[in-house]
Amino acid sequence: MSTTSGSAKWQGGIKDGKGAISTKSGALNDYPYGFLSRFEGKAGSNPEELIGAAHAACFTMALSLILGEAKLTAEHMETKADVTLEKQGDGFAVTSIHLTLNAKIPGAEDTKFQELAGKAKEGCPISKLLNTKITLDAKLQ
């Protein structure tokens, strides 16, 4: 169907090095990332936050499709994906992603909304890509 790309540059060692992330679309263009932004909360991006943004976007789009199939249209949806990175053995692993969705969907009943949100969580392409525990807290306004 479609192929797109992202790229990264790196100079130096792991702790003193500096990287830059770019996307084909130009949404990110040599945006800085590195050890300090990944592990010490300093300015810049990191792979986990990018995965979180991608997962939140994919899940929300999937839910929009699923809602449409159920004859519902969201007035507003906002999803946050908390990506947990933990030390495991000699390395690190993403051990979980927690999706938090707040949505306003006229005419939706909570039971059906929960069912559809769960379907989107399981079925979105990024969820299928990730080999980690994915949880969801969906709230209907």
Side-chain angles (χ1 to χ4, degrees):
M1 283 189 49
S2 71
T3 301
T4 191
S5 64
S7 63
K9 300 175 193 172
W10 188 265
Q11 295 174 284
I14 187 64
K15 288 193 176 183
D16 65 346
K18 293 185 179 359
I21 302 167
S22 297
T23 57
K24 181 179 175 183
S25 70
L28 295 173
N29 186 18
D30 287 335
Y31 197 81
Y33 82 105
F35 185 88
L36 296 176
S37 62
R38 191 172 195 184
F39 296 106
E40 297 182 7
K42 301 297 181 188
S45 189
N46 61 70
E48 293 74 33
E49 102 175 335
L50 297 171
I51 289 168
H55 197 191
C58 184
F59 163 78
T60 307
M61 286 181 73
L63 182 54
S64 178
L65 171 69
I66 291 166
L67 288 169
E69 291 169 349
K71 308 288 190 245
L72 295 167
T73 302
E75 183 177 310
H76 174 81
M77 291 191 288
E78 186 172 337
T79 305
K80 179 182 177 190
D82 292 311
V83 179
T84 301
L85 178 70
E86 294 182 315
K87 183 137 177 60
Q88 288 190 340
D90 291 340
F92 289 84
V94 171
T95 56
S96 66
I97 297 178
H98 182 70
L99 300 170
T100 304
L101 166 68
N102 288 299
K104 185 172 184 181
I105 304 166
E109 295 177 1
D110 191 59
T111 303
K112 185 66 172 176
F113 168 69
Q114 296 298 328
E115 173 192 328
L116 299 177
K119 186 176 174 184
K121 177 184 77 99
E122 297 301 321
C124 93
I126 300 297
S127 289
K128 292 177 182 179
L129 167 72
L130 300 170
N131 183 24
T132 195
K133 177 183 176 184
I134 301 170
T135 55
L136 171 64
D137 180 19
K139 290 188 174 58
L140 191 57
Q141 298 175 352

